[in-house]
């Protein structure tokens, strides 16, 4: 079964949703599965160096008080889910383009999903600037990759066209918000749904995969 995860690394609901998908998969052990990360930039016009977190929240939510309300909702949800979260450590909202590239570079050696997990933690737990190539290289080392090779690939523009193309495809498909999960390129589930919401689509995907691999007699 193929699950394509359309998400952005600076989206707290994508972070929460990734954890909930993992919990759903724990309820369906043994499923033959490929999880493929697909990039979606919530802020495609973000300056390359990002912006101060306070300025970003004021622009996005229309003021500090509304931003605090959203933060409380996110923090309460993460706490219920047992996810570590430290929004107060975030000082800048980064441009996430190079972080998406780093995931695709890591995916070339089968490390794409673990890189995504590590980048979520770097941003939402440590408050690191995940647009910084030094940070991306350090995260790569943490998941078993060569940091110097990651920096060289990022400097060379590796996977830039692929990320742009995938992001454009998501918008062409009509995606306007993330996370969104597409199962076997046929069924979609949007939002940071509870683990139980994933189960019917996981079960359906298993049945379809089994049927596709069963030879027709006669």
């Amino acid at each position: 079964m193929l699950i394509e995860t359309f998400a952005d690394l600076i989206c707290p609901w994508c972070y929460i949703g990734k954890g909930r998908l993992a919990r759903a998969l724990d309820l369906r052990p043994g499923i033959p599965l490929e999880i493929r990360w697909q990039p979606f930039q919530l802020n495609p016009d973000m300056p390359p160096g990002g912006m101060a977190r306070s300025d970003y929240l004021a622009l996005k939510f229309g003021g500090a008080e509304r931003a605090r309300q959203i933060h409380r909702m996110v923090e309460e949800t993460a706490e219920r889910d047992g996810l570590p979260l430290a929004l107060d450590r975030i000082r800048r909202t980064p441009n996430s383009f190079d972080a998406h590239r780093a995931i695709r570079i890591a995916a070339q050696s089968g490390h794409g999903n673990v890189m995504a997990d590590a980048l979520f933690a770097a941003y939402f737990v440590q408050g690191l600037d995940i647009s910084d190539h030094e940070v991306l290289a350090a995260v790569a080392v943490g998941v078993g990759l060569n940091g110097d090779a990651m920096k060289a690939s990022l400097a060379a523009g590796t996977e830039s066209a692929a990320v742009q193309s995938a992001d454009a495809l998501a918008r062409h498909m009509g995606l306007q918000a993330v996370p969104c999960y597409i199962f076997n390129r046929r069924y979609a589930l949007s939002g940071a749904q509870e683990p139980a919401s994933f189960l019917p689509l996981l079960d359906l995907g298993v049945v379809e995969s089994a049927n596709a691999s069963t030879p027709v007699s006669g």
Side-chain angles (χ1 to χ4, degrees), residues 6 9 11 17 38 73 82-83 98 116 118 126 188 209 212 214 217:
F6 289 82
L9 291 152
C11 166
Q38 297 289 6
M73 184 186 307
L83 281 178
D98 283 352
Q126 299 174 268
S209 297
T214 301
S217 61

Side-chain angles (χ1 to χ4, degrees), residues 149-175:
M150 176 61 74
K151 281 194 291 185
S153 293
L154 291 168
T158 303
E159 296 291 348
S160 292
V163 169
Q164 291 169 341
S165 177
D167 188 282
L169 175 62
R171 297 175 198 281
H172 180 73
M173 290 166 53
L175 266 67

Side-chain angles (χ1 to χ4, degrees), residues 83-169:
L83 281 178
L85 183 70
L87 295 176
D88 58 313
R89 292 185 178 181
I90 300 172
R91 294 292 176 262
R92 294 190 67 77
T93 298
N95 181 308
S96 61
F97 184 78
D98 283 352
H100 286 297
R101 290 173 57 213
I103 291 174
R104 294 185 76 95
I105 293 167
Q108 295 172 3
S109 58
H111 290 74
N113 283 296
V114 70
M115 187 69 175
D117 283 334
L119 287 172
F120 272 127
Y123 185 62
F124 285 111
V125 181
Q126 299 174 268
L128 299 178
D129 181 355
I130 58 171
S131 68
D132 186 301
H133 287 194
E134 294 292 338
V135 170
L136 295 173
V139 173
V141 170
V143 301
L145 299 174
N146 184 296
D148 290 337
M150 176 61 74
K151 281 194 291 185
S153 293
L154 291 168
T158 303
E159 296 291 348
S160 292
V163 169
Q164 291 169 341
S165 177
D167 188 282
L169 175 62

